[in-house]
Amino acid sequence: MAVKPLTKPKILKKRTKKFIRHQSDRYNKIKKNWRKPKGIDNRVRRRFKGQFLMPNIGYGSAKKTKHVMPDGFKKFLVHNVRVWCWSLTLHKSRTSTGHCVAHQELEVLLMQNRSFAAEISRTVSSRKRKLIVERAQQLAIKVTNPNARLRSEENE
């Protein structure tokens, strides 16, 4: 049975159109990617009526729906099945507090499987992907990309 999210809030975006750069519609050499206008006389920076809108903090998403995918889950990037940590003698990957810096792993989602969905990192091999998908089914964790890099038996 498919895992359903704990709550599925209605996601309301304050603006769905992209903010485009001033005069990018006029010249091909100016790309559409947003850049803040810095000129002293610039009418977009001065917010004249009828000009392009500038992005600001008011366009941010609501706290409850921030980073929520349309299916109601939040993404959690997974690299491995278990939490692992190099010992201090092997690798100096500890923070100033002495805690270990570990990859974000699948079994961390055990208690949060109704709010977070695992997304397998693109750097994971197909052999490890099979193990992660198999373990996710046992723990009832949703995986957003379970079929990535997996070929069927006929194709091989």
Side-chain angles (χ1 to χ4, degrees), residues 89-141:
T89 56
L90 290 175
H91 200 315
K92 306 284 184 194
S93 66
R94 291 180 186 255
T95 60
S96 58
T97 55
H99 295 297
C100 185
V101 179
H103 280 264
Q104 295 181 340
E105 312 307 340
L106 184 69
E107 294 188 356
V108 175
L109 297 179
L110 183 59
M111 299 297 286
Q112 300 288 330
N113 67 339
R114 301 277 307 278
S115 0
F116 288 91
E119 178 159 304
I120 304 171
S121 173
R122 65 187 193 86
T123 58
V124 178
S125 68
S126 57
R127 186 167 53 96
K128 291 269 184 175
R129 276 173 193 270
K130 287 178 189 170
L131 295 172
I132 290 172
V133 170
E134 191 178 297
R135 184 69 178 138
Q137 282 180 335
Q138 292 169 2
L139 299 175
I141 297 171

Side-chain angles (χ1 to χ4, degrees), residues 54-108:
M54 290 200 300
N56 55 45
I57 199 68
Y59 290 108
S61 297
K63 200 171 185 180
K64 286 185 178 178
T65 60
K66 195 174 219 173
H67 306 299
V68 174
M69 298 187 294
D71 62 359
F73 288 99
K74 291 183 180 179
K75 263 188 217 171
F76 187 85
L77 201 62
V78 170
H79 297 87
N80 204 336
V81 178
R82 277 182 198 79
V83 176
W84 61 272
C85 178
W86 296 98
S87 68
L88 188 58
T89 56
L90 290 175
H91 200 315
K92 306 284 184 194
S93 66
R94 291 180 186 255
T95 60
S96 58
T97 55
H99 295 297
C100 185
V101 179
H103 280 264
Q104 295 181 340
E105 312 307 340
L106 184 69
E107 294 188 356
V108 175

Side-chain angles (χ1 to χ4, degrees), residues 26-43:
R26 196 168 186 195
Y27 303 107
N28 287 332
K29 63 185 174 186
I30 297 177
K31 301 286 183 267
K32 298 252 182 231
N33 306 343
W34 173 254
R35 294 290 183 272
K36 185 173 171 61
K38 304 267 187 356
I40 56 169
D41 293 329
N42 191 286
R43 50 197 191 176

